[in-house]
Amino acid sequence: MKQNKANFAHYESPLGGITMACDEDGLVGLWFDRQKYFGQTASSPLPEMTVGQKAKFDTISFCPIFEQTKEWLDVYFTGRQPSFTPPLHLNGSPFRLAVWQMLLDIPFGQTTTYGELARRIACEQGRTTMSAQAVGGAVGHNPIGLIVPCHRVIGADGSLTGYAAGVEKKRWLLEMEGTL
């Protein structure tokens, strides 16, 4: 399967810079700058960044998906659930795609656990069990943070674990959504 060339743009959020990537089919990535797995799913290489440096792009091709994504982020960072989702182009294994779809189903202002997601995946696949750690790996590799709300997944004991952008950002997001 041929991957489309990715285009990039930058967004300044209350939590710092966010890099967006899209191709002709939709948004392929949304990462806090320098987070774990930054740029991993982009079909074109991202620029190198050092600590404290903002993403800089020599050429940014216009992509209407960036305007929609910026509008989504603007609404989201006012503490409200956007009424639309920009076109997404998620790329991953069937297992990861299934987990990411479940993340899209977690309502604004609510959380779920890795174990609950594992139970749901097991049920959908006709299995008796599924590893919560396997689900955690898929959640952690989510390429479209915030819009695919992996920050809404917490530990069974209510702990804020496993957020690629950092637990501090996860706490801030959940507090903004009124979950904590």
Side-chain angles (χ1 to χ4, degrees):
M1 179 168 92
K2 179 183 171 272
Q3 275 195 320
N4 299 324
K5 183 177 190 286
N7 299 296
F8 303 100
H10 198 257
Y11 178 88
E12 276 302 319
S13 81
L15 292 174
I18 293 174
T19 297
M20 302 178 275
C22 77
D23 65 16
E24 332 175 317
D25 299 321
L27 195 66
V28 297
L30 185 83
W31 309 275
F32 282 102
D33 292 348
R34 293 169 306 283
Q35 79 172 45
K36 192 174 184 180
Y37 312 120
F38 179 79
Q40 192 174 56
T41 56
S43 58
S44 301
L46 286 156
E48 294 289 322
M49 284 191 295
T50 58
V51 175
Q53 178 186 18
K54 292 180 183 177
K56 294 180 182 174
F57 306 102
D58 294 331
T59 57
I60 299 176
S61 300
F62 177 73
C63 182
I65 293 162
F66 290 148
E67 290 301 317
Q68 294 171 44
T69 303
K70 180 189 176 306
E71 183 180 344
W72 190 98
L73 291 166
D74 287 346
V75 170
Y76 177 77
F77 281 115
T78 66
R80 297 175 299 151
Q81 172 67 44
S83 61
F84 67 97
T85 302
L88 305 178
H89 184 198
L90 289 161
N91 292 297
S93 69
F95 177 75
R96 284 186 177 181
L97 290 171
V99 171
W100 298 337
Q101 184 57 55
M102 285 185 179
L103 296 178
L104 284 165
D105 295 336
I106 304 169
F108 182 91
Q110 295 184 28
T111 60
T112 193
T113 65
Y114 296 98
E116 179 56 33
L117 290 174
R119 283 187 286 284
R120 287 182 55 202
I121 288 278
C123 183
E124 283 184 6
Q125 293 181 353
R127 300 173 62 168
T128 56
T129 62
M130 171 60 64
S131 164
Q133 291 160 324
V135 168
V139 170
H141 283 83
N142 167 26
I144 304 177
L146 301 176
I147 296 173
V148 179
C150 54
H151 63 279
R152 295 180 187 150
V153 184
I154 61 174
D157 62 357
S159 60
L160 304 183
T161 61
Y163 192 54
V167 174
E168 307 78 29
K169 284 184 174 71
K170 184 173 190 166
R171 179 179 309 285
W172 190 96
L173 294 167
L174 293 174
E175 285 174 353
M176 182 200 62
E177 289 185 15
T179 304
L180 294 181

